[in-house]
Amino acid sequence: MIDLTFTEEHEMIRETARDFAQNVLAKSAAERDENEKFFPEELKQLGELGFCGIFVPEKYKGAGMDSIAYIIALEEISKVDASVGVVLSVTNSLFGYPLLVYGTEEQKHKYLAPTAAGEKLGGFMLTEPEAGSDAAAQKTTAVRDGDYYIINGSKNFITSGLSADYFVLTTMSDKSKGVHGTTAFILEGDAPGVIKGVKEKKLGIRSSDTCSVTFEDVRIPAENRIGEEGMGFKVAMTALDSGRMGIAAQALGIAQGALEEAVKYSKIRHQFGRPIAKFQGIQFKLADMETRIQAARLLTFQAAVKKDRGERFTNEVAMAKLYASETANWVADQALQIHGGYGYTKEYAVERFFRDARITTIYEGTSEIQRLVISSYLLKD
């Protein structure tokens, strides 16, 4: 049985995250979205609040909390600004978690601690132009040269590619071994030979920067290798399991934010002499939205509990990410419909929620990939 009793600490995290989101982020969320503007000052404040290293132990400058706290915080932040939510998810889950699991003590103190404190920002580099869902098909190479590895190749769709200081980078170190020939490293973003492309023009999460990155004879010290040679795929999948939890929480926030806007609007919008909230058609929409969000939230918490128990949570987090992301898209669509023509304008937040929701079924593994993961568990011998 899963105990979902929230502690006083969890409630404190919820109140802190909600207060920051509503009193700080909400003031500039629409403007930053419109102008594709990053948020270094807000990120610094989030670091001071402990949100950049929620489950990182205090000895590495983290908050030392559990995955339930992580989900709560990300949902509250994403309910107001999903761009901030995804940046927090990447630095916590895709960068921080694999370092916590596989990193050396030196790596944790040098790279994990400053990102957990919000002094630096972490990113993740896996996707390539010809290797998206098929992560084993990556072509970026790492060749050993004494105490260094020489990196050549390219990555694309890198969240915080322009803003992050450090990255977990996956490469192919021995093509003859397939997935067992991949190796992961910690890359410093300003290393010689790291060439960053232009910022992508995106449909949603527009104040989070995304770009491609090219490597031309980049020298990474061997001491920056994460784990042993050949462990890159394992490191990446560990990161993605954690990352999918972050995206599920982000999707929950988008969905909850859209629902709250729809409820509020339905009470003030009058048609045929009364608020549209009085019409059963609107009431049924709202009821279905709430039910799906609650179901997605329970799936996400279930994955978090298994993670915190030290159990494998790959299947549970795949279900959570699948259902939460598709729920976010559906709920945002219904919320826009309830707003009618006004929902199609930038005057109302549901227009942004609708755009932000779309990416959640794509990154950290598409919905199709999640279904493959889930079905593989059902069909295994």
PDB file of all heavy atoms in Angstrom, residues 257-269 271 276 282 285-286 289 331-345 347-351 353:
ATOM      1  N   GLY A 257      -3.280  24.340 -13.562  1.00  0.00           N
ATOM      2  CA  GLY A 257      -3.405  25.760 -13.855  1.00  0.00           C
ATOM      3  C   GLY A 257      -4.519  26.037 -14.842  1.00  0.00           C
ATOM      4  O   GLY A 257      -5.300  26.990 -14.682  1.00  0.00           O
ATOM      5  N   ALA A 258      -4.616  25.199 -15.881  1.00  0.00           N
ATOM      6  CA  ALA A 258      -5.665  25.367 -16.889  1.00  0.00           C
ATOM      7  C   ALA A 258      -7.044  25.143 -16.290  1.00  0.00           C
ATOM      8  O   ALA A 258      -8.004  25.866 -16.590  1.00  0.00           O
ATOM      9  CB  ALA A 258      -5.418  24.402 -18.052  1.00  0.00           C
ATOM     10  N   LEU A 259      -7.152  24.131 -15.425  1.00  0.00           N
ATOM     11  CA  LEU A 259      -8.444  23.864 -14.776  1.00  0.00           C
ATOM     12  C   LEU A 259      -8.868  25.040 -13.909  1.00  0.00           C
ATOM     13  O   LEU A 259     -10.031  25.471 -13.948  1.00  0.00           O
ATOM     14  CB  LEU A 259      -8.342  22.595 -13.924  1.00  0.00           C
ATOM     15  CG  LEU A 259      -9.557  22.289 -13.036  1.00  0.00           C
ATOM     16  CD1 LEU A 259     -10.815  22.111 -13.871  1.00  0.00           C
ATOM     17  CD2 LEU A 259      -9.302  21.053 -12.174  1.00  0.00           C
ATOM     18  N   GLU A 260      -7.945  25.564 -13.118  1.00  0.00           N
ATOM     19  CA  GLU A 260      -8.295  26.678 -12.235  1.00  0.00           C
ATOM     20  C   GLU A 260      -8.724  27.910 -13.022  1.00  0.00           C
ATOM     21  O   GLU A 260      -9.653  28.627 -12.611  1.00  0.00           O
ATOM     22  CB  GLU A 260      -7.116  26.989 -11.312  1.00  0.00           C
ATOM     23  CG  GLU A 260      -6.862  25.885 -10.295  1.00  0.00           C
ATOM     24  CD  GLU A 260      -5.677  26.158  -9.387  1.00  0.00           C
ATOM     25  OE1 GLU A 260      -5.130  27.286  -9.426  1.00  0.00           O
ATOM     26  OE2 GLU A 260      -5.291  25.244  -8.622  1.00  0.00           O
ATOM     27  N   GLU A 261      -8.081  28.145 -14.157  1.00  0.00           N
ATOM     28  CA  GLU A 261      -8.492  29.266 -15.012  1.00  0.00           C
ATOM     29  C   GLU A 261      -9.889  29.020 -15.578  1.00  0.00           C
ATOM     30  O   GLU A 261     -10.707  29.948 -15.682  1.00  0.00           O
ATOM     31  CB  GLU A 261      -7.485  29.449 -16.147  1.00  0.00           C
ATOM     32  CG  GLU A 261      -6.148  30.016 -15.711  1.00  0.00           C
ATOM     33  CD  GLU A 261      -6.252  31.422 -15.165  1.00  0.00           C
ATOM     34  OE1 GLU A 261      -7.002  32.239 -15.740  1.00  0.00           O
ATOM     35  OE2 GLU A 261      -5.584  31.709 -14.151  1.00  0.00           O
ATOM     36  N   ALA A 262     -10.168  27.768 -15.956  1.00  0.00           N
ATOM     37  CA  ALA A 262     -11.478  27.439 -16.523  1.00  0.00           C
ATOM     38  C   ALA A 262     -12.591  27.586 -15.488  1.00  0.00           C
ATOM     39  O   ALA A 262     -13.678  28.099 -15.789  1.00  0.00           O
ATOM     40  CB  ALA A 262     -11.462  26.012 -17.076  1.00  0.00           C
ATOM     41  N   VAL A 263     -12.326  27.144 -14.262  1.00  0.00           N
ATOM     42  CA  VAL A 263     -13.313  27.282 -13.189  1.00  0.00           C
ATOM     43  C   VAL A 263     -13.601  28.759 -12.930  1.00  0.00           C
ATOM     44  O   VAL A 263     -14.757  29.192 -12.835  1.00  0.00           O
ATOM     45  CB  VAL A 263     -12.809  26.595 -11.896  1.00  0.00           C
ATOM     46  CG1 VAL A 263     -13.697  26.974 -10.706  1.00  0.00           C
ATOM     47  CG2 VAL A 263     -12.780  25.084 -12.075  1.00  0.00           C
ATOM     48  N   LYS A 264     -12.541  29.542 -12.812  1.00  0.00           N
ATOM     49  CA  LYS A 264     -12.689  30.971 -12.541  1.00  0.00           C
ATOM     50  C   LYS A 264     -13.480  31.666 -13.651  1.00  0.00           C
ATOM     51  O   LYS A 264     -14.398  32.454 -13.376  1.00  0.00           O
ATOM     52  CB  LYS A 264     -11.303  31.591 -12.394  1.00  0.00           C
ATOM     53  CG  LYS A 264     -11.294  33.077 -12.085  1.00  0.00           C
ATOM     54  CD  LYS A 264      -9.889  33.560 -11.727  1.00  0.00           C
ATOM     55  CE  LYS A 264      -8.925  33.401 -12.883  1.00  0.00           C
ATOM     56  NZ  LYS A 264      -7.563  33.933 -12.551  1.00  0.00           N
ATOM     57  N   TYR A 265     -13.127  31.366 -14.901  1.00  0.00           N
ATOM     58  CA  TYR A 265     -13.795  32.007 -16.031  1.00  0.00           C
ATOM     59  C   TYR A 265     -15.271  31.591 -16.117  1.00  0.00           C
ATOM     60  O   TYR A 265     -16.144  32.422 -16.418  1.00  0.00           O
ATOM     61  CB  TYR A 265     -13.082  31.648 -17.333  1.00  0.00           C
ATOM     62  CG  TYR A 265     -13.654  32.328 -18.551  1.00  0.00           C
ATOM     63  CD1 TYR A 265     -13.323  33.642 -18.869  1.00  0.00           C
ATOM     64  CD2 TYR A 265     -14.543  31.651 -19.384  1.00  0.00           C
ATOM     65  CE1 TYR A 265     -13.857  34.270 -19.983  1.00  0.00           C
ATOM     66  CE2 TYR A 265     -15.087  32.264 -20.504  1.00  0.00           C
ATOM     67  CZ  TYR A 265     -14.751  33.573 -20.795  1.00  0.00           C
ATOM     68  OH  TYR A 265     -15.290  34.191 -21.901  1.00  0.00           O
ATOM     69  N   SER A 266     -15.542  30.319 -15.847  1.00  0.00           N
ATOM     70  CA  SER A 266     -16.923  29.826 -15.972  1.00  0.00           C
ATOM     71  C   SER A 266     -17.865  30.493 -14.975  1.00  0.00           C
ATOM     72  O   SER A 266     -19.084  30.539 -15.189  1.00  0.00           O
ATOM     73  CB  SER A 266     -16.972  28.306 -15.789  1.00  0.00           C
ATOM     74  OG  SER A 266     -16.723  27.937 -14.441  1.00  0.00           O
ATOM     75  N   LYS A 267     -17.317  31.024 -13.886  1.00  0.00           N
ATOM     76  CA  LYS A 267     -18.144  31.690 -12.882  1.00  0.00           C
ATOM     77  C   LYS A 267     -18.460  33.139 -13.232  1.00  0.00           C
ATOM     78  O   LYS A 267     -19.450  33.693 -12.750  1.00  0.00           O
ATOM     79  CB  LYS A 267     -17.442  31.636 -11.521  1.00  0.00           C
ATOM     80  CG  LYS A 267     -17.357  30.238 -10.920  1.00  0.00           C
ATOM     81  CD  LYS A 267     -16.605  30.271  -9.589  1.00  0.00           C
ATOM     82  CE  LYS A 267     -16.534  28.904  -8.947  1.00  0.00           C
ATOM     83  NZ  LYS A 267     -15.781  28.923  -7.661  1.00  0.00           N
ATOM     84  N   ILE A 268     -17.596  33.747 -14.055  1.00  0.00           N
ATOM     85  CA  ILE A 268     -17.807  35.174 -14.367  1.00  0.00           C
ATOM     86  C   ILE A 268     -18.371  35.394 -15.768  1.00  0.00           C
ATOM     87  O   ILE A 268     -18.885  36.468 -16.066  1.00  0.00           O
ATOM     88  CB  ILE A 268     -16.498  35.972 -14.194  1.00  0.00           C
ATOM     89  CG1 ILE A 268     -15.429  35.476 -15.171  1.00  0.00           C
ATOM     90  CG2 ILE A 268     -15.994  35.891 -12.758  1.00  0.00           C
ATOM     91  CD1 ILE A 268     -14.169  36.337 -15.194  1.00  0.00           C
ATOM     92  N   ARG A 269     -18.261  34.395 -16.626  1.00  0.00           N
ATOM     93  CA  ARG A 269     -18.758  34.524 -17.996  1.00  0.00           C
ATOM     94  C   ARG A 269     -20.256  34.199 -18.034  1.00  0.00           C
ATOM     95  O   ARG A 269     -20.669  33.103 -17.646  1.00  0.00           O
ATOM     96  CB  ARG A 269     -17.993  33.565 -18.921  1.00  0.00           C
ATOM     97  CG  ARG A 269     -18.508  33.506 -20.358  1.00  0.00           C
ATOM     98  CD  ARG A 269     -18.391  34.837 -21.073  1.00  0.00           C
ATOM     99  NE  ARG A 269     -18.676  34.680 -22.490  1.00  0.00           N
ATOM    100  CZ  ARG A 269     -18.817  35.693 -23.334  1.00  0.00           C
ATOM    101  NH1 ARG A 269     -18.709  36.953 -22.891  1.00  0.00           N
ATOM    102  NH2 ARG A 269     -19.066  35.491 -24.610  1.00  0.00           N
ATOM    103  N   GLN A 271     -23.858  33.803 -20.121  1.00  0.00           N
ATOM    104  CA  GLN A 271     -24.553  33.574 -21.388  1.00  0.00           C
ATOM    105  C   GLN A 271     -25.992  33.182 -21.066  1.00  0.00           C
ATOM    106  O   GLN A 271     -26.240  32.444 -20.094  1.00  0.00           O
ATOM    107  CB  GLN A 271     -23.881  32.465 -22.191  1.00  0.00           C
ATOM    108  CG  GLN A 271     -22.521  32.849 -22.794  1.00  0.00           C
ATOM    109  CD  GLN A 271     -22.648  33.853 -23.937  1.00  0.00           C
ATOM    110  OE1 GLN A 271     -22.991  33.503 -25.073  1.00  0.00           O
ATOM    111  NE2 GLN A 271     -22.384  35.116 -23.615  1.00  0.00           N
ATOM    112  N   ILE A 276     -21.894  30.617 -17.123  1.00  0.00           N
ATOM    113  CA  ILE A 276     -21.835  29.357 -17.865  1.00  0.00           C
ATOM    114  C   ILE A 276     -21.521  28.182 -16.940  1.00  0.00           C
ATOM    115  O   ILE A 276     -21.761  27.014 -17.311  1.00  0.00           O
ATOM    116  CB  ILE A 276     -20.807  29.412 -19.020  1.00  0.00           C
ATOM    117  CG1 ILE A 276     -19.377  29.646 -18.494  1.00  0.00           C
ATOM    118  CG2 ILE A 276     -21.207  30.482 -20.034  1.00  0.00           C
ATOM    119  CD1 ILE A 276     -18.321  29.536 -19.584  1.00  0.00           C
ATOM    120  N   ILE A 282     -20.878  22.481 -19.163  1.00  0.00           N
ATOM    121  CA  ILE A 282     -19.632  23.006 -18.599  1.00  0.00           C
ATOM    122  C   ILE A 282     -19.268  22.242 -17.330  1.00  0.00           C
ATOM    123  O   ILE A 282     -18.092  21.906 -17.095  1.00  0.00           O
ATOM    124  CB  ILE A 282     -19.761  24.511 -18.298  1.00  0.00           C
ATOM    125  CG1 ILE A 282     -20.051  25.299 -19.578  1.00  0.00           C
ATOM    126  CG2 ILE A 282     -18.505  25.033 -17.609  1.00  0.00           C
ATOM    127  CD1 ILE A 282     -18.952  25.215 -20.612  1.00  0.00           C
ATOM    128  N   LYS A 285     -17.636  18.974 -18.155  1.00  0.00           N
ATOM    129  CA  LYS A 285     -16.243  19.182 -18.601  1.00  0.00           C
ATOM    130  C   LYS A 285     -15.314  19.349 -17.401  1.00  0.00           C
ATOM    131  O   LYS A 285     -14.256  18.723 -17.310  1.00  0.00           O
ATOM    132  CB  LYS A 285     -16.148  20.426 -19.501  1.00  0.00           C
ATOM    133  CG  LYS A 285     -16.612  20.247 -20.937  1.00  0.00           C
ATOM    134  CD  LYS A 285     -16.388  21.547 -21.709  1.00  0.00           C
ATOM    135  CE  LYS A 285     -16.903  21.452 -23.139  1.00  0.00           C
ATOM    136  NZ  LYS A 285     -16.105  20.518 -23.947  1.00  0.00           N
ATOM    137  N   LEU A 286     -15.709  20.215 -16.473  1.00  0.00           N
ATOM    138  CA  LEU A 286     -14.889  20.483 -15.299  1.00  0.00           C
ATOM    139  C   LEU A 286     -14.708  19.227 -14.453  1.00  0.00           C
ATOM    140  O   LEU A 286     -13.602  18.961 -13.935  1.00  0.00           O
ATOM    141  CB  LEU A 286     -15.499  21.601 -14.460  1.00  0.00           C
ATOM    142  CG  LEU A 286     -15.584  22.980 -15.127  1.00  0.00           C
ATOM    143  CD1 LEU A 286     -16.361  23.953 -14.254  1.00  0.00           C
ATOM    144  CD2 LEU A 286     -14.194  23.531 -15.435  1.00  0.00           C
ATOM    145  N   MET A 289     -12.207  16.978 -16.138  1.00  0.00           N
ATOM    146  CA  MET A 289     -10.860  17.554 -16.027  1.00  0.00           C
ATOM    147  C   MET A 289     -10.266  17.260 -14.650  1.00  0.00           C
ATOM    148  O   MET A 289      -9.123  16.814 -14.524  1.00  0.00           O
ATOM    149  CB  MET A 289     -10.921  19.073 -16.280  1.00  0.00           C
ATOM    150  CG  MET A 289     -11.271  19.426 -17.730  1.00  0.00           C
ATOM    151  SD  MET A 289     -11.988  21.082 -17.915  1.00  0.00           S
ATOM    152  CE  MET A 289     -10.527  22.113 -17.751  1.00  0.00           C
ATOM    153  N   VAL A 331      -6.750  18.590 -20.942  1.00  0.00           N
ATOM    154  CA  VAL A 331      -7.321  19.576 -20.028  1.00  0.00           C
ATOM    155  C   VAL A 331      -7.124  20.992 -20.572  1.00  0.00           C
ATOM    156  O   VAL A 331      -8.037  21.824 -20.519  1.00  0.00           O
ATOM    157  CB  VAL A 331      -6.706  19.440 -18.623  1.00  0.00           C
ATOM    158  CG1 VAL A 331      -7.066  20.643 -17.750  1.00  0.00           C
ATOM    159  CG2 VAL A 331      -7.181  18.165 -17.955  1.00  0.00           C
ATOM    160  N   ALA A 332      -5.932  21.280 -21.104  1.00  0.00           N
ATOM    161  CA  ALA A 332      -5.691  22.610 -21.668  1.00  0.00           C
ATOM    162  C   ALA A 332      -6.622  22.884 -22.839  1.00  0.00           C
ATOM    163  O   ALA A 332      -7.113  24.007 -23.013  1.00  0.00           O
ATOM    164  CB  ALA A 332      -4.230  22.731 -22.100  1.00  0.00           C
ATOM    165  N   ASP A 333      -6.885  21.866 -23.641  1.00  0.00           N
ATOM    166  CA  ASP A 333      -7.808  22.005 -24.765  1.00  0.00           C
ATOM    167  C   ASP A 333      -9.225  22.300 -24.270  1.00  0.00           C
ATOM    168  O   ASP A 333      -9.922  23.173 -24.802  1.00  0.00           O
ATOM    169  CB  ASP A 333      -7.787  20.722 -25.596  1.00  0.00           C
ATOM    170  CG  ASP A 333      -8.748  20.776 -26.776  1.00  0.00           C
ATOM    171  OD1 ASP A 333      -8.457  21.488 -27.746  1.00  0.00           O
ATOM    172  OD2 ASP A 333      -9.808  20.113 -26.715  1.00  0.00           O
ATOM    173  N   GLN A 334      -9.672  21.576 -23.245  1.00  0.00           N
ATOM    174  CA  GLN A 334     -11.005  21.800 -22.696  1.00  0.00           C
ATOM    175  C   GLN A 334     -11.120  23.178 -22.049  1.00  0.00           C
ATOM    176  O   GLN A 334     -12.151  23.849 -22.172  1.00  0.00           O
ATOM    177  CB  GLN A 334     -11.326  20.708 -21.664  1.00  0.00           C
ATOM    178  CG  GLN A 334     -11.435  19.307 -22.238  1.00  0.00           C
ATOM    179  CD  GLN A 334     -12.539  19.179 -23.257  1.00  0.00           C
ATOM    180  OE1 GLN A 334     -13.711  19.464 -22.971  1.00  0.00           O
ATOM    181  NE2 GLN A 334     -12.193  18.756 -24.458  1.00  0.00           N
ATOM    182  N   ALA A 335     -10.052  23.596 -21.369  1.00  0.00           N
ATOM    183  CA  ALA A 335     -10.067  24.910 -20.736  1.00  0.00           C
ATOM    184  C   ALA A 335     -10.178  26.020 -21.772  1.00  0.00           C
ATOM    185  O   ALA A 335     -10.908  27.002 -21.582  1.00  0.00           O
ATOM    186  CB  ALA A 335      -8.803  25.103 -19.890  1.00  0.00           C
ATOM    187  N   LEU A 336      -9.452  25.858 -22.870  1.00  0.00           N
ATOM    188  CA  LEU A 336      -9.535  26.846 -23.948  1.00  0.00           C
ATOM    189  C   LEU A 336     -10.946  26.870 -24.530  1.00  0.00           C
ATOM    190  O   LEU A 336     -11.502  27.940 -24.808  1.00  0.00           O
ATOM    191  CB  LEU A 336      -8.502  26.529 -25.023  1.00  0.00           C
ATOM    192  CG  LEU A 336      -8.200  27.624 -26.050  1.00  0.00           C
ATOM    193  CD1 LEU A 336      -6.774  27.473 -26.578  1.00  0.00           C
ATOM    194  CD2 LEU A 336      -9.177  27.608 -27.211  1.00  0.00           C
ATOM    195  N   GLN A 337     -11.538  25.689 -24.696  1.00  0.00           N
ATOM    196  CA  GLN A 337     -12.901  25.596 -25.240  1.00  0.00           C
ATOM    197  C   GLN A 337     -13.897  26.300 -24.322  1.00  0.00           C
ATOM    198  O   GLN A 337     -14.806  27.001 -24.803  1.00  0.00           O
ATOM    199  CB  GLN A 337     -13.297  24.127 -25.423  1.00  0.00           C
ATOM    200  CG  GLN A 337     -14.608  23.917 -26.162  1.00  0.00           C
ATOM    201  CD  GLN A 337     -14.507  24.264 -27.645  1.00  0.00           C
ATOM    202  OE1 GLN A 337     -13.415  24.317 -28.194  1.00  0.00           O
ATOM    203  NE2 GLN A 337     -15.640  24.504 -28.278  1.00  0.00           N
ATOM    204  N   ILE A 338     -13.735  26.156 -23.031  1.00  0.00           N
ATOM    205  CA  ILE A 338     -14.628  26.815 -22.077  1.00  0.00           C
ATOM    206  C   ILE A 338     -14.509  28.331 -22.180  1.00  0.00           C
ATOM    207  O   ILE A 338     -15.493  29.058 -22.035  1.00  0.00           O
ATOM    208  CB  ILE A 338     -14.326  26.319 -20.648  1.00  0.00           C
ATOM    209  CG1 ILE A 338     -14.820  24.869 -20.488  1.00  0.00           C
ATOM    210  CG2 ILE A 338     -14.974  27.220 -19.600  1.00  0.00           C
ATOM    211  CD1 ILE A 338     -14.375  24.193 -19.205  1.00  0.00           C
ATOM    212  N   HIS A 339     -13.312  28.798 -22.475  1.00  0.00           N
ATOM    213  CA  HIS A 339     -13.105  30.249 -22.643  1.00  0.00           C
ATOM    214  C   HIS A 339     -13.649  30.762 -23.978  1.00  0.00           C
ATOM    215  O   HIS A 339     -13.743  31.980 -24.171  1.00  0.00           O
ATOM    216  CB  HIS A 339     -11.611  30.587 -22.573  1.00  0.00           C
ATOM    217  CG  HIS A 339     -11.072  30.666 -21.182  1.00  0.00           C
ATOM    218  ND1 HIS A 339     -10.921  29.566 -20.364  1.00  0.00           N
ATOM    219  CD2 HIS A 339     -10.631  31.735 -20.458  1.00  0.00           C
ATOM    220  CE1 HIS A 339     -10.400  29.957 -19.203  1.00  0.00           C
ATOM    221  NE2 HIS A 339     -10.220  31.260 -19.231  1.00  0.00           N
ATOM    222  N   GLY A 340     -13.965  29.852 -24.893  1.00  0.00           N
ATOM    223  CA  GLY A 340     -14.455  30.278 -26.199  1.00  0.00           C
ATOM    224  C   GLY A 340     -13.415  31.086 -26.957  1.00  0.00           C
ATOM    225  O   GLY A 340     -12.208  30.833 -26.852  1.00  0.00           O
ATOM    226  N   GLY A 341     -13.859  32.097 -27.674  1.00  0.00           N
ATOM    227  CA  GLY A 341     -12.955  32.916 -28.474  1.00  0.00           C
ATOM    228  C   GLY A 341     -11.895  33.623 -27.647  1.00  0.00           C
ATOM    229  O   GLY A 341     -10.772  33.838 -28.120  1.00  0.00           O
ATOM    230  N   TYR A 342     -12.232  33.964 -26.400  1.00  0.00           N
ATOM    231  CA  TYR A 342     -11.250  34.628 -25.543  1.00  0.00           C
ATOM    232  C   TYR A 342     -10.059  33.728 -25.245  1.00  0.00           C
ATOM    233  O   TYR A 342      -8.939  34.195 -25.061  1.00  0.00           O
ATOM    234  CB  TYR A 342     -11.910  35.079 -24.235  1.00  0.00           C
ATOM    235  CG  TYR A 342     -12.869  36.229 -24.422  1.00  0.00           C
ATOM    236  CD1 TYR A 342     -14.241  36.029 -24.323  1.00  0.00           C
ATOM    237  CD2 TYR A 342     -12.407  37.515 -24.702  1.00  0.00           C
ATOM    238  CE1 TYR A 342     -15.136  37.079 -24.500  1.00  0.00           C
ATOM    239  CE2 TYR A 342     -13.285  38.568 -24.876  1.00  0.00           C
ATOM    240  CZ  TYR A 342     -14.658  38.346 -24.778  1.00  0.00           C
ATOM    241  OH  TYR A 342     -15.534  39.378 -24.961  1.00  0.00           O
ATOM    242  N   GLY A 343     -10.302  32.426 -25.173  1.00  0.00           N
ATOM    243  CA  GLY A 343      -9.224  31.490 -24.898  1.00  0.00           C
ATOM    244  C   GLY A 343      -8.179  31.433 -25.993  1.00  0.00           C
ATOM    245  O   GLY A 343      -7.050  30.987 -25.764  1.00  0.00           O
ATOM    246  N   TYR A 344      -8.544  31.889 -27.171  1.00  0.00           N
ATOM    247  CA  TYR A 344      -7.629  31.875 -28.317  1.00  0.00           C
ATOM    248  C   TYR A 344      -6.750  33.115 -28.367  1.00  0.00           C
ATOM    249  O   TYR A 344      -5.886  33.233 -29.222  1.00  0.00           O
ATOM    250  CB  TYR A 344      -8.450  31.754 -29.611  1.00  0.00           C
ATOM    251  CG  TYR A 344      -7.690  31.189 -30.777  1.00  0.00           C
ATOM    252  CD1 TYR A 344      -7.281  29.859 -30.797  1.00  0.00           C
ATOM    253  CD2 TYR A 344      -7.377  31.985 -31.878  1.00  0.00           C
ATOM    254  CE1 TYR A 344      -6.591  29.339 -31.866  1.00  0.00           C
ATOM    255  CE2 TYR A 344      -6.683  31.474 -32.963  1.00  0.00           C
ATOM    256  CZ  TYR A 344      -6.293  30.153 -32.946  1.00  0.00           C
ATOM    257  OH  TYR A 344      -5.593  29.633 -34.003  1.00  0.00           O
ATOM    258  N   THR A 345      -6.981  34.019 -27.425  1.00  0.00           N
ATOM    259  CA  THR A 345      -6.190  35.250 -27.379  1.00  0.00           C
ATOM    260  C   THR A 345      -5.171  35.182 -26.239  1.00  0.00           C
ATOM    261  O   THR A 345      -5.334  34.436 -25.273  1.00  0.00           O
ATOM    262  CB  THR A 345      -7.090  36.473 -27.158  1.00  0.00           C
ATOM    263  OG1 THR A 345      -7.592  36.454 -25.804  1.00  0.00           O
ATOM    264  CG2 THR A 345      -8.257  36.482 -28.134  1.00  0.00           C
ATOM    265  N   GLU A 347      -4.734  37.308 -24.086  1.00  0.00           N
ATOM    266  CA  GLU A 347      -5.257  38.005 -22.915  1.00  0.00           C
ATOM    267  C   GLU A 347      -5.468  37.043 -21.750  1.00  0.00           C
ATOM    268  O   GLU A 347      -5.404  37.426 -20.581  1.00  0.00           O
ATOM    269  CB  GLU A 347      -6.580  38.702 -23.279  1.00  0.00           C
ATOM    270  CG  GLU A 347      -7.206  39.479 -22.137  1.00  0.00           C
ATOM    271  CD  GLU A 347      -8.520  40.135 -22.531  1.00  0.00           C
ATOM    272  OE1 GLU A 347      -8.890  40.070 -23.728  1.00  0.00           O
ATOM    273  OE2 GLU A 347      -9.177  40.703 -21.639  1.00  0.00           O
ATOM    274  N   TYR A 348      -5.711  35.776 -22.068  1.00  0.00           N
ATOM    275  CA  TYR A 348      -5.991  34.772 -21.045  1.00  0.00           C
ATOM    276  C   TYR A 348      -4.889  33.720 -21.007  1.00  0.00           C
ATOM    277  O   TYR A 348      -4.349  33.320 -22.046  1.00  0.00           O
ATOM    278  CB  TYR A 348      -7.354  34.108 -21.305  1.00  0.00           C
ATOM    279  CG  TYR A 348      -8.516  35.036 -21.025  1.00  0.00           C
ATOM    280  CD1 TYR A 348      -8.964  35.933 -21.992  1.00  0.00           C
ATOM    281  CD2 TYR A 348      -9.145  35.032 -19.783  1.00  0.00           C
ATOM    282  CE1 TYR A 348     -10.009  36.805 -21.729  1.00  0.00           C
ATOM    283  CE2 TYR A 348     -10.201  35.901 -19.512  1.00  0.00           C
ATOM    284  CZ  TYR A 348     -10.625  36.785 -20.488  1.00  0.00           C
ATOM    285  OH  TYR A 348     -11.663  37.651 -20.223  1.00  0.00           O
ATOM    286  N   ALA A 349      -4.576  33.252 -19.804  1.00  0.00           N
ATOM    287  CA  ALA A 349      -3.438  32.343 -19.602  1.00  0.00           C
ATOM    288  C   ALA A 349      -3.627  30.986 -20.267  1.00  0.00           C
ATOM    289  O   ALA A 349      -2.646  30.295 -20.549  1.00  0.00           O
ATOM    290  CB  ALA A 349      -3.188  32.142 -18.105  1.00  0.00           C
ATOM    291  N   VAL A 350      -4.875  30.585 -20.539  1.00  0.00           N
ATOM    292  CA  VAL A 350      -5.084  29.246 -21.109  1.00  0.00           C
ATOM    293  C   VAL A 350      -4.445  29.111 -22.491  1.00  0.00           C
ATOM    294  O   VAL A 350      -4.094  27.996 -22.901  1.00  0.00           O
ATOM    295  CB  VAL A 350      -6.576  28.864 -21.173  1.00  0.00           C
ATOM    296  CG1 VAL A 350      -7.139  28.638 -19.792  1.00  0.00           C
ATOM    297  CG2 VAL A 350      -7.380  29.907 -21.937  1.00  0.00           C
ATOM    298  N   GLU A 351      -4.295  30.218 -23.197  1.00  0.00           N
ATOM    299  CA  GLU A 351      -3.627  30.163 -24.504  1.00  0.00           C
ATOM    300  C   GLU A 351      -2.188  29.697 -24.335  1.00  0.00           C
ATOM    301  O   GLU A 351      -1.692  28.863 -25.101  1.00  0.00           O
ATOM    302  CB  GLU A 351      -3.681  31.549 -25.159  1.00  0.00           C
ATOM    303  CG  GLU A 351      -3.032  31.628 -26.538  1.00  0.00           C
ATOM    304  CD  GLU A 351      -1.557  31.996 -26.499  1.00  0.00           C
ATOM    305  OE1 GLU A 351      -1.082  32.474 -25.441  1.00  0.00           O
ATOM    306  OE2 GLU A 351      -0.868  31.803 -27.523  1.00  0.00           O
ATOM    307  N   PHE A 353      -1.025  27.988 -21.626  1.00  0.00           N
ATOM    308  CA  PHE A 353      -1.073  26.611 -21.122  1.00  0.00           C
ATOM    309  C   PHE A 353      -1.268  25.620 -22.275  1.00  0.00           C
ATOM    310  O   PHE A 353      -0.669  24.540 -22.295  1.00  0.00           O
ATOM    311  CB  PHE A 353      -2.215  26.442 -20.123  1.00  0.00           C
ATOM    312  CG  PHE A 353      -2.008  27.180 -18.824  1.00  0.00           C
ATOM    313  CD1 PHE A 353      -3.090  27.724 -18.147  1.00  0.00           C
ATOM    314  CD2 PHE A 353      -0.752  27.339 -18.274  1.00  0.00           C
ATOM    315  CE1 PHE A 353      -2.917  28.394 -16.946  1.00  0.00           C
ATOM    316  CE2 PHE A 353      -0.561  28.010 -17.081  1.00  0.00           C
ATOM    317  CZ  PHE A 353      -1.647  28.543 -16.415  1.00  0.00           C
TER     318      PHE A 353
END
